[in-house]
Amino acid sequence: MEKIRNFCIIAHIDHGKSTLADRLLELTHTLSEREQQDQVLDSMDLEREKGITIKSHAIQMVYPYGNETYTLNLIDTPGHVDFSYEVSRAIASCEGALLVVDATQGIQAQTISNLYLAINHDLEIIPVINKIDMDSAMVEDVKDQIVDLIGCKRDEILAVSAKTGFGVDAVLEAIVNRIPPPKGDPEAPLQALVFDSMFNSFRGIIAYFKVVNGTIRTGDRVKFVNTGFEYTADEVGILQLKLQPRNQISAGDVGYIISGIKESSEVKVGDTITHVDSPCDKAIAGFEDVKPMVFAGLYPVDADEYEDLRSSLEKLKLNDASLTFEPESSLALGFGFRCGFLGLLHMEIVQERLYREFDMDVITTVPNVSFRVHTTKGEIVEVHNPSGLPGPTVIDYIEEPIINAQVITKSEYLGTVIKLCIDRRGVLKNQVFIASDRVELTFRLPLSEIVFDFYDKLKSISRGYASFDYFLDGYQEAKLVKLDILLNGEMVDALSSLIHIDHAYDFGRKMCEKLKDLIPRQQFDIAIQAAIGAKIIARETVKAVRKDVTAKCYGGDITRKRKLLEKQKKGKKRMRQIGSVEVPQEAFLAVLKMD
């Protein structure tokens, strides 16, 4: 155990985490030259294109130093705020962390929030400044920011360029010298923390774990404490680029277990593995079920593909346990699924993967969050979908989820960022200048206000400099109303939304204007109305395409023309009663892109 070092890398998106991991693997000769490629741990096409880590990976390196050989376990973590629970479990499996900061951008919001997670778990932090070879690098300024943030000495900060490999050997030495070896007793009852899992179509679910105490051997009967399922360990081993089977894995080390598990719901990140015969006293603290934050309906473009969509979602769920879905139907869109996502990035990734991996084209309804409705009988109803809202006579009050948001921006954009947050019903809690030109703002915001386009707006008003991070902070009462869209007096349930009363009139008017442009003209007038309950708050009319029935009348009495027009009017009236209005797919997408 003295020769083992478990560490992770904490960084904001695009600060060079995956590139630094590539250099570490190269220097320790973990990969052959043939296996070497950029972002080797980001195995999904989507990760390479977007330049983000979506699924965390773990890999073991062997590093000779002095006269000893050390085993280094890198437990890679996703950087995005949506996956913060997975990050916290990966951090709980480590004894140290590399804090990577981009020399051209300085400290960003997600770096700080993941750093606090690491400090709460008593990890040894090794600060690293990356991209020092760039022309716009501000090495001394960033060193000042890091010293202010974590209170280390200036000479403890390592300056590297992961792209060229400069200074990376010093990082390996620091990992061996500064990070403590894992504590644990190989003879104690088995206690192992699951920090990730993945699905293999031949072998079932493979769970990745770190052994805190005890030893696990091939063929042992093991039990997952929180889910209560028991299995036989068909194979255990260590994680390199490919899985390497071993006879046993002892305290302090990181490995995988294959036991023929078919259901992803049976293996949960953060669970504890122990022996059936001699179980440990208590599970490792910190386990929680991952709760979806954002809900949206996914519907197949072609109604016949409903079963295909179901099987695609089930296969995706095997690889992504935080996705939840349940069937629902809509009058406008037919049959589909109500899906729960961790956040907007997660939703975008699921849509993209459905399209790429399963060739499924889907229509997504307006994303919303889950609200708590308190009824007059004193019951609490969780509502994920506006159509599931009880009648207005039954509702006592509605609560919505609130977040604590951290925004770090350059001070020149301070005014516009504060205005954006206050427009979204935010309350400014705190404002701290990290450096002379960088400021950290803390807001309390309703989650439903950032679901739409908050992040895009924040990036555009700050020219890409602002960074944003949030965590959930309970519920609070809000004056919410259900806004319905009516076409010819019929409600289109897929366009309904729950919205704050102050924004309802504005939003309703914009929706009607947008739909007027998108709905094709029919042979009769179409009334587009926005309504709150029975009260119409906005209206637009799509004018009819009409035939000129009076063309053949020339001269003569006016009553001849009037007779023809009356006849046409009757026909139009009948047509409106039996005619139905098709809502084109662009209309649903346009609602998502409303300014």
Side-chain angles (χ1 to χ4, degrees):
M1 278 176 69
E2 290 299 313
K3 306 288 180 292
I4 297 175
R5 301 288 183 272
N6 299 323
F7 70 100
C8 60
I9 304 177
I10 293 172
H12 191 78
I13 291 174
D14 210 24
H15 279 204
K17 184 160 65 98
S18 298
T19 316
L20 180 61
D22 288 351
R23 293 296 85 78
L24 294 175
L25 295 174
E26 214 170 81
L27 278 174
T28 53
H29 306 294
T30 305
L31 306 179
S32 63
E33 280 184 29
R34 204 179 70 185
E35 292 170 320
Q36 191 64 48
Q37 55 172 335
D38 284 349
Q39 296 175 316
V40 69
L41 293 182
D42 292 347
S43 50
M44 232 185 278
D45 294 343
L46 213 60
E47 294 181 310
R48 293 167 177 284
E49 279 167 36
K50 288 183 180 282
I52 56 176
T53 304
I54 296 167
K55 194 94 179 84
S56 55
H57 296 264
I59 193 160
Q60 191 173 90
M61 299 173 267
V62 176
Y63 177 56
Y65 178 66
N67 300 325
E68 304 284 355
T69 304
Y70 289 88
T71 302
L72 311 181
N73 290 311
L74 163 61
I75 299 172
D76 192 17
T77 58
H80 199 274
V81 54
D82 285 3
F83 308 111
S84 55
Y85 174 64
E86 287 175 31
V87 176
S88 78
R89 296 300 83 207
I91 284 175
S93 309
C94 301
E95 282 80 40
L98 300 180
L99 174 71
V100 178
V101 181
D102 187 332
T104 62
Q105 293 186 346
I107 286 170
Q108 305 267 320
Q110 280 157 23
T111 320
I112 292 184
S113 67
N114 288 348
L115 174 69
Y116 288 156
L117 273 177
I119 290 172
N120 288 344
H121 282 94
D122 287 341
L123 265 61
E124 179 63 40
I125 309 290
I126 301 176
V128 177
I129 297 181
N130 190 17
K131 305 192 188 180
I132 58 166
D133 57 323
M134 304 276 277
D135 296 339
S136 54
M138 317 170 290
V139 179
E140 294 308 313
D141 292 358
V142 176
K143 276 189 177 177
D144 292 341
Q145 290 177 22
I146 294 175
V147 169
D148 286 350
L149 182 68
I150 59 175
C152 62
K153 298 189 178 74
R154 280 180 80 90
D155 55 0
E156 287 177 3
I157 302 172
L158 307 174
V160 306
S161 162
K163 195 172 174 185
T164 60
F166 172 79
V168 180
D169 44 359
V171 175
L172 280 167
E173 288 173 21
I175 290 168
V176 171
N177 293 329
R178 294 198 214 168
I179 294 177
K183 302 179 183 71
D185 179 3
E187 303 304 318
L190 175 66
Q191 203 180 23
L193 172 69
V194 177
F195 62 82
D196 196 12
S197 67
M198 68 170 294
F199 178 72
N200 180 310
S201 45
F202 299 107
R203 315 204 61 182
I205 304 276
I206 303 170
Y208 297 163
F209 60 84
K210 180 213 173 180
V211 184
V212 179
N213 284 313
T215 303
I216 184 168
R217 295 176 180 81
T218 308
D220 283 355
R221 280 297 282 173
V222 294
K223 174 179 161 187
F224 286 75
V225 176
N226 288 296
T227 53
F229 290 104
E230 295 183 6
Y231 304 100
T232 302
D234 298 337
E235 183 183 303
V236 296
I238 58 165
L239 302 154
Q240 284 181 335
L241 200 58
K242 295 190 171 61
L243 306 176
Q244 305 282 340
R246 293 284 185 271
N247 291 330
Q248 64 172 47
I249 296 177
S250 290
D253 217 339
V254 173
Y256 69 90
I257 176 171
I258 299 177
S259 44
I261 306 168
K262 295 286 183 287
E263 289 290 321
S264 62
S265 55
E266 294 177 20
V267 178
K268 294 192 169 166
V269 173
D271 207 342
T272 306
I273 305 176
T274 187
H275 279 132
V276 174
D277 307 334
S278 52
C280 54
D281 309 338
K282 61 179 190 302
I284 297 162
F287 171 77
E288 57 184 74
D289 277 326
V290 183
K291 289 187 186 66
M293 293 279 173
V294 174
F295 296 86
L298 292 185
Y299 293 86
V301 174
D302 184 356
D304 300 342
E305 293 180 345
Y306 174 72
E307 282 304 324
D308 297 347
L309 179 59
R310 180 198 290 276
S311 68
S312 305
L313 283 169
E314 279 168 357
K315 285 175 190 161
L316 250 190
K317 190 169 165 53
L318 292 171
N319 270 326
D320 183 354
S322 43
L323 172 70
T324 60
F325 63 92
E326 55 186 40
E328 74 164 358
S329 65
S330 145
L331 293 170
L333 298 170
F335 290 102
F337 295 93
R338 188 94 199 145
C339 301
F341 308 98
L342 296 175
L344 282 187
L345 176 82
H346 187 213
M347 175 172 142
E348 198 182 309
I349 287 163
V350 167
Q351 273 174 276
E352 189 74 25
R353 285 182 69 183
L354 277 173
Y355 179 66
R356 287 184 182 202
E357 295 171 27
F358 305 102
D359 205 18
M360 287 297 311
D361 256 342
V362 291
I363 298 173
T364 313
T365 62
V366 186
N368 59 3
V369 299
S370 66
F371 298 96
R372 279 188 191 163
V373 178
H374 291 254
T375 63
T376 46
K377 292 179 184 172
E379 297 166 345
I380 299 176
V381 184
E382 280 231 349
V383 176
H384 304 317
N385 188 351
S387 60
L389 197 69
T393 51
V394 188
I395 297 173
D396 184 14
Y397 61 95
I398 303 177
E399 288 184 321
E400 63 179 347
I402 295 291
I403 57 164
N404 257 339
Q406 269 181 326
V407 180
I408 294 181
T409 178
K410 286 198 157 185
S411 42
E412 61 197 91
Y413 308 118
L414 180 63
T416 49
V417 170
I418 290 179
K419 182 181 182 306
L420 172 72
C421 293
I422 287 173
D423 286 349
R424 297 296 174 100
R425 300 192 284 132
V427 179
L428 180 62
K429 304 288 283 184
N430 197 3
Q431 176 179 331
V432 182
F433 278 85
I434 303 174
S436 58
D437 62 338
R438 287 166 68 79
V439 60
E440 179 188 354
L441 302 166
T442 310
F443 278 94
R444 265 176 77 83
L445 276 159
L447 181 61
S448 55
E449 292 287 342
I450 66 160
V451 160
F452 267 122
D453 52 358
F454 177 81
Y455 195 60
D456 300 344
K457 284 254 170 57
L458 181 69
K459 283 289 180 196
S460 59
I461 61 174
S462 66
R463 305 216 177 121
Y465 278 109
S467 61
F468 172 68
D469 186 54
Y470 68 87
F471 58 90
L472 201 65
D473 189 24
Y475 284 76
Q476 80 177 24
E477 192 178 330
K479 285 186 177 169
L480 299 172
V481 288
K482 184 182 171 200
L483 182 72
D484 294 318
I485 300 294
L486 310 173
L487 294 182
N488 265 350
E490 283 195 17
M491 199 174 93
V492 183
D493 55 355
L495 292 175
S496 296
S497 52
L498 273 174
I499 191 161
H500 195 266
I501 197 158
D502 296 349
H503 300 338
Y505 287 83
D506 232 13
F507 188 70
R509 200 185 69 250
K510 283 182 184 162
M511 284 268 272
C512 291
E513 286 167 5
K514 198 97 179 198
L515 287 171
K516 183 187 175 183
D517 299 339
L518 291 167
I519 288 176
R521 290 170 72 183
Q522 307 275 351
Q523 300 268 323
F524 51 90
D525 283 0
I526 304 170
I528 304 171
Q529 295 166 310
I532 297 174
K535 185 180 178 188
I536 305 294
I537 59 168
R539 172 183 169 132
E540 292 287 336
T541 309
V542 178
K543 281 295 181 196
V545 186
R546 48 185 297 181
K547 186 177 166 191
D548 190 359
V549 288
T550 59
K552 64 180 188 218
C553 293
Y554 46 91
D557 193 7
I558 185 68
T559 52
R560 287 179 64 200
K561 283 187 176 176
R562 192 156 292 151
K563 187 174 154 193
L564 288 168
L565 288 169
E566 286 298 325
K567 192 174 167 190
Q568 186 188 30
K569 203 165 162 188
K570 273 185 191 156
K572 295 271 182 218
K573 193 173 172 187
R574 257 189 67 201
M575 210 182 251
R576 178 187 288 144
Q577 283 166 358
I578 58 170
S580 65
V581 184
E582 286 287 312
V583 183
Q585 194 180 334
E586 293 85 62
F588 298 107
L589 301 177
V591 176
L592 298 181
K593 297 185 171 66
M594 291 269 285
D595 284 339

